[in-house]
Amino acid sequence: MIPTSQQSKKLSLPALGFILAGIILAMILGVFTWRNLDREERIMENFLREEGLTLIRAFEAGARTSMMMNWEGNSLATLVRETARTDSIAYIVIADASGRLLTAAGERRDGEILSVTQVLAQDQPLTRRTNDAVGRGVFEVAKGFNPILPETVGREEMMGRWQRWCGMGCVSDEQEGRRAIFVGLYTAEFEAAQDEDLRQSLLMGGLLLLLGSTGFYFLFLSQQAQVTKNTLANMELYTRNVIDSVPAGLITLDNQGRIVSLNDKAQGIFGKQGEAAEGKLLEALTGTERCEIALLVREGREFVERPMECQRPDGESVPVKVSASRLTGRDGEPLGTVLMVRDMREIRAMEEALERSRRLAALGRMAAGIAHEIRNPLGTLRGFAQYFAKLGGKDSQAEEYSELMVGEVDRLNRIISALLQFARPRELEPAEVNLGDLIRRTARLLQDDLEARGLNFQLDPPAETILFTADADLLTQVLINLLQNAQLATESGGEIRLGASGQETDIRFWVEDTGKGMTSEEQFRMFDPFFTTRKTGTGLGLAMVHQIVEQHGGHINVESMPEKGTRVEIILPRELVHRKGIGSSA
């Protein structure tokens, strides 16, 4: 299952910041709107209060003037009615201390005025918000009404004038200053202004909400795009890791046969040029000689595990098995080809090693039989040769011929002994071995011989103490054989190097020389018994090396080029993996 991005499960910090900023701005807008409406409310109340008080003072002055001019009739009612004609005035009501209406004009709801008692009990005017008879908003200002000033000269005369001016509704014994006037002023203009401000605030809030929603939407889209991008990147990385972990080369081609992609294994099979092969034709990767992959792909053929040989740029021929299948789209249209390439070099090397082991086993069994058949007659021949040597006085050349016969019989006996050792190797005697001591002891055994031949011998022991389990005597024999071969292959003045190192799970030692090297044919047969390039060699030394290494559960790596020298590296496990020798009984 492809891993999903975790960003889809939680909001990013920018998104949270944007939401928080939107909430804070909305709160700020709400607070400012409320404060603005509250300020307008206070301004309206102050304005209408002052306007009502001004109107009351003007009304008192008008009433006082009318009384002084001796107007008669119901002049109070007339003054109230004419004053109330103003569009901004809802009503004017004058009542006495008992709450009885003296006169009234305008639109009001019946009985809907402030209590006269409350008004007369206060030094300051009283105000309130109410509605008229048709439901329009009204701001009412109430205050004591007294057109007769206390310090007026001829007070009794003024009271009489008030009686005549006020009309029949005013009683003669009315106490001074016990009247109240109520003025209702329309608030429609202020309410309209407030409504307009409220609409503006709502509009601003709506715009802010719209902008915030739009910004959040685009931020959400941006976040989703980022999540999608990260998911695609994770999917690409996951797919690339899966493809690179496939234990075979994977190559994809388009319809024109150009390379679209290839994994690390394919680059390893065809060499480093695979890194720059994308976008090029397949022949740029596989070569044109003997490798028929490109030809089969152009023919549109599909095949499975087809063996073939491909040429690397360094000249090495790589055996591979190739499978090809067509890539198609959703509608079945061809998109290209996918190739699965298996490197058969290791498998072929394993097959060759298995075949070599089988040959060695059969040869070992045959050598054991031949050695037994030859060894007995050799003993008889050696005895007769010694007998003839004692008769040397009768024949001057008999002693010379007898010594030659004994030497040849001894040499043949050594070959037979080597054959028997190869056919029936002795069982391992494992013990703890110090790798550095092992190669230093071997170097001391052969150093004089190497220097006598004019060879430069270099020893590279490990820097630290490395211990492992092995048969030290057999490994010494392995190193001696390898050093002797290097000595015979290197001319005077050349160099031979013996070194060792330790890894986590294995140990390694190697012998390098600057000698004549080997061809690929010689490398293939170098561990075969009796194969040798020297006239005096037996061809059993490297065969025994191979046998001892296999007994220890290790393997051998060989690197050699003609006229450039040879490097033979022995790799053994730290813990001994015992294997029975070739030709030994089960």
Side-chain angles (χ1 to χ4, degrees), residues 558-574:
V558 180
E559 299 176 6
S560 183
M561 292 287 290
E563 306 303 328
K564 293 185 179 180
T566 302
R567 173 187 171 94
V568 180
E569 184 177 36
I570 308 296
I571 303 172
L572 302 178
R574 280 183 178 264

Side-chain angles (χ1 to χ4, degrees), residues 229-243:
K229 181 180 178 181
N230 292 339
T231 301
L232 290 176
N234 290 337
M235 183 181 298
E236 182 180 2
L237 180 61
Y238 181 82
T239 304
R240 169 58 62 180
N241 289 336
V242 170
I243 291 175

Side-chain angles (χ1 to χ4, degrees), residues 390-530:
K390 295 178 182 179
L391 301 177
K394 298 179 180 180
D395 189 346
S396 59
Q397 293 183 338
E399 185 176 359
E400 180 184 353
Y401 292 153
S402 297
E403 291 177 356
L404 183 60
M405 290 174 61
V406 171
E408 290 300 309
V409 168
D410 288 341
R411 188 174 70 85
L412 189 56
N413 189 55
R414 287 193 299 271
I415 294 174
I416 296 301
S417 298
L419 274 175
L420 288 175
Q421 170 64 25
F422 174 74
R424 288 199 182 96
R426 70 172 178 82
E427 291 294 324
L428 298 180
E429 298 178 1
E432 188 176 73
V433 179
N434 186 309
L435 182 59
D437 292 344
L438 176 67
I439 67 170
R440 279 190 287 265
R441 183 173 64 251
T442 306
R444 284 195 297 269
L445 293 176
L446 295 177
Q447 188 169 5
D448 292 340
D449 292 341
L450 296 174
E451 292 177 353
R453 289 179 55 87
L455 299 175
N456 182 17
F457 179 65
Q458 299 291 333
L459 183 64
D460 295 330
E464 69 279 2
T465 300
I466 299 175
L467 302 177
F468 66 105
T469 305
D471 189 319
D473 292 339
L474 291 181
L475 292 185
T476 301
Q477 184 63 48
V478 167
L479 292 176
I480 289 174
N481 288 354
L482 293 178
L483 287 171
Q484 287 177 342
N485 278 3
Q487 172 185 339
L488 295 173
T490 307
E491 298 291 338
S492 178
E495 181 177 301
I496 296 177
R497 184 181 298 271
L498 172 62
S501 66
Q503 306 295 328
E504 183 176 353
T505 59
D506 56 46
I507 60 99
R508 300 165 184 251
F509 49 86
W510 59 87
V511 175
E512 296 181 10
D513 65 65
T514 58
K516 62 181 181 180
M518 292 182 289
T519 64
S520 57
E521 174 68 20
E522 290 171 345
Q523 290 183 53
F524 179 73
R525 299 189 59 192
M526 63 183 294
F527 297 114
D528 289 350
F530 305 112

Side-chain angles (χ1 to χ4, degrees), residues 236-272:
E236 182 180 2
L237 180 61
Y238 181 82
T239 304
R240 169 58 62 180
N241 289 336
V242 170
I243 291 175
D244 286 339
S245 64
V246 173
L250 188 65
I251 305 173
T252 57
L253 309 173
D254 60 13
N255 289 325
Q256 285 72 41
R258 290 190 295 266
I259 298 172
V260 177
S261 65
L262 68 167
N263 64 356
D264 294 340
K265 187 66 174 180
Q267 294 183 15
I269 292 174
F270 295 106
K272 290 297 182 181

Side-chain angles (χ1 to χ4, degrees), residues 253-254 257-260 273 276-285:
L253 309 173
D254 60 13
R258 290 190 295 266
I259 298 172
V260 177
Q273 81 278 9
E278 294 184 3
K280 297 181 181 179
L281 293 176
L282 185 59
E283 287 88 341
L285 184 68

